[in-house]
Amino acid sequence: MCPIRSNTGTLGKKPSRNVPWKGGGGGHRMRRGRTQREDHRMHSAGYFIRLPRGFRLTQDSLKIVGSSDYPVKVYVLLHQKSPHVLCVTQRLRNSELIDPSFQWYGPKGRITAGNSTTQLTSTGSLVFQNFEESMTGVYTCFLEYKPTVDEGAANLQLKYVIYAYREPRFYYQFTARYHAAPCNSIYNISFEKKLLQILRKLVLELSCEVSLLKSECHHVKMQKAGLQNELFFTFSVSSLDTEKVPKPCIDHSCEPSRRLLKAKNLIERFFNQQVEVLGRRAEPLPEIYYIEGTLQMVWINRCFPGYGINALKHPKCPECCVLCSPGSYNPRDGTHCLRCNSSLAYGAKACG
């Protein structure tokens, strides 16, 4: 069995195999490089407030108007303040209204001005102070006004479907292959434990964790050669939840995406160092060593239970983990809400 050094990652080398590096592929990917204008653009069919990670901006100036033709979808980040939801259409917003009166109704009935979780402005706007999952649902505003002093009262009913959403929790999934001892050898088990210890120590300071997903030993027939034993490792690298991070941090470098990127770079360097160090080795190759070029990585999104990504249903929030609608559920940290006709509530985690 070969020695392993945690500082250099000495785990071996053999002649390069033509297995291409894959820096992506599979899973859901988040698009990068959008401008702030694109992020803040508002559409008539649905709205959501999406800012670059780590960027905080007051939402008081963001206002959403309704439509008399269809319910408008609104997406609010969980535990955050919502934009102003107006009780007017775009046409009426630019018109003069005489003696307007507004009434709002939500999933729990009429909304009053004294509600601690919501705010009703003097102009009829609805604002949520700290949006919770239970607030998701259909909201209806009734507007009564006079177009002119001499005309009779006009009435308008506007509907909104307001959803809670969360950012996806993405993680990196790696696979790597090692030349191994015989598949029933205890050395393979010992090596696996040591490898995981090194990887976990590498990313510990970044508040990330490494989890072994699968480890298998197989007999591989080489081209123009005989059989050899190989270990197939599959492991994930994910960011610890904020509440589990030992040291509270508000700097941009503490954002999960930044910490995960640093962890990914450390792991890539670790495997590259194995190739470099054993490339200078004068002695015969050890029994267990990393097979150069077999490291592959996939970036995978996942949602919290009760949430899912659906670009068809939520085209204005295509990369958001949106609370599952009635008739669907997500029992675990997958990426989609599954169909279930007996599920009648938002955010269902079980069918029935």
Side-chain angles (χ1 to χ4, degrees), residues 174-223:
F174 289 87
T175 58
R177 296 164 68 170
Y178 281 80
H179 186 280
C183 285
N184 59 353
S185 173
I186 192 174
Y187 292 118
N188 291 335
I189 299 175
S190 177
F191 176 83
E192 173 189 308
K193 292 180 180 178
K194 186 63 178 179
L195 175 61
L196 287 174
Q197 288 177 1
I198 295 174
L199 294 175
R200 286 167 177 163
K201 187 175 181 180
L202 276 176
V203 303
L204 182 62
E205 299 249 334
L206 295 171
S207 295
C208 292
E209 60 182 352
V210 173
S211 301
L212 180 65
L213 302 179
K214 185 168 59 175
S215 176
E216 297 177 341
C217 183
H218 294 279
H219 304 294
V220 180
K221 171 66 171 66
M222 305 302 297
Q223 293 182 359

Side-chain angles (χ1 to χ4, degrees), residues 3 64-65 163 190 282 316 324:
I64 297 172
V65 296
Y163 293 92
S190 177
K316 304 303 179 184
C324 294

Side-chain angles (χ1 to χ4, degrees), residues 36-335:
Q36 287 190 8
R37 178 178 299 177
E38 291 171 327
D39 278 332
H40 299 162
R41 185 177 295 150
M42 306 178 90
H43 306 267
S44 61
Y47 302 83
F48 77 105
I49 307 305
R50 189 175 185 84
L51 301 171
R53 285 190 175 86
F55 186 78
R56 296 292 178 262
L57 176 68
T58 176
Q59 299 178 359
D60 291 345
S61 61
L62 298 172
K63 303 180 186 297
I64 297 172
V65 296
S67 171
S68 57
D69 299 324
Y70 46 79
V72 171
K73 294 180 180 180
V74 183
Y75 305 91
V76 184
L77 187 62
L78 189 66
H79 303 312
Q80 299 298 314
K81 184 177 180 179
S82 76
H84 288 231
V85 184
L86 277 58
C87 190
V88 291
T89 61
Q90 185 62 47
R91 181 182 65 82
L92 290 179
R93 187 183 182 188
N94 300 320
S95 303
E96 187 176 67
L97 306 181
I98 307 297
D99 296 330
S101 65
F102 312 90
Q103 288 187 12
W104 278 95
Y105 291 84
K108 298 180 181 179
R110 184 172 179 178
I111 301 173
T112 59
N115 195 318
S116 61
T117 60
T118 57
Q119 173 190 351
L120 290 179
T121 69
S122 59
T123 56
S125 296
L126 176 66
V127 184
F128 296 94
Q129 301 300 323
N130 180 22
F131 200 78
E132 303 287 346
E133 290 183 1
S134 60
M135 298 178 184
T136 295
V138 177
Y139 289 78
T140 305
C141 177
F142 296 92
L143 168 64
E144 183 176 304
Y145 67 98
K146 290 183 179 181
T148 66
V149 174
D150 298 327
E151 292 186 67
N155 296 278
L156 181 66
Q157 176 180 317
L158 300 175
K159 286 187 178 292
Y160 298 86
V161 185
I162 305 181
Y163 293 92
Y165 84 92
R166 306 179 75 162
E167 293 284 359
R169 300 185 300 162
F170 72 88
Y171 65 94
Y172 291 107
Q173 180 173 302
F174 289 87
T175 58
R177 296 164 68 170
Y178 281 80
H179 186 280
C183 285
N184 59 353
S185 173
I186 192 174
Y187 292 118
N188 291 335
I189 299 175
S190 177
F191 176 83
E192 173 189 308
K193 292 180 180 178
K194 186 63 178 179
L195 175 61
L196 287 174
Q197 288 177 1
I198 295 174
L199 294 175
R200 286 167 177 163
K201 187 175 181 180
L202 276 176
V203 303
L204 182 62
E205 299 249 334
L206 295 171
S207 295
C208 292
E209 60 182 352
V210 173
S211 301
L212 180 65
L213 302 179
K214 185 168 59 175
S215 176
E216 297 177 341
C217 183
H218 294 279
H219 304 294
V220 180
K221 171 66 171 66
M222 305 302 297
Q223 293 182 359
K224 300 180 180 180
L227 290 173
Q228 73 175 27
N229 304 307
E230 289 189 12
L231 290 173
F232 289 69
F233 287 110
T234 303
F235 61 93
S236 65
V237 182
S238 57
S239 172
L240 290 171
D241 294 335
T242 305
E243 58 269 18
K244 296 181 182 179
V245 175
K247 296 181 181 179
C249 182
I250 58 175
D251 188 80
H252 288 346
S253 62
C254 297
E255 296 168 22
S257 59
R258 291 177 181 266
R259 290 188 280 114
L260 265 178
L261 180 59
K262 291 180 179 178
K264 177 185 79 74
N265 293 336
L266 286 175
I267 289 175
E268 291 174 357
R269 186 188 309 168
F270 166 74
F271 281 93
N272 288 334
Q273 286 176 337
Q274 295 180 59
V275 176
E276 295 171 2
V277 171
L278 288 184
R280 300 191 297 265
R281 182 186 177 100
E283 302 86 3
L285 291 176
E287 187 174 31
I288 302 177
Y289 56 83
Y290 167 62
I291 301 174
E292 182 181 354
T294 62
L295 182 67
Q296 300 180 30
M297 183 271 295
V298 179
W299 181 12
I300 300 177
N301 277 347
R302 58 181 178 179
C303 294
F304 287 89
Y307 290 78
I309 297 174
N310 190 331
L312 294 178
K313 183 178 178 63
H314 305 292
K316 304 303 179 184
C317 203
E319 299 169 356
C320 307
C321 289
V322 181
L323 200 66
C324 294
S325 298
S328 64
Y329 75 109
N330 184 5
R332 48 191 175 274
D333 57 354
T335 55

Side-chain angles (χ1 to χ4, degrees), residues 331-352:
R332 48 191 175 274
D333 57 354
T335 55
H336 301 292
C337 296
L338 308 176
R339 185 170 179 176
C340 174
N341 293 331
S342 60
S343 175
L344 304 178
Y346 285 94
K349 300 178 180 65
C351 183

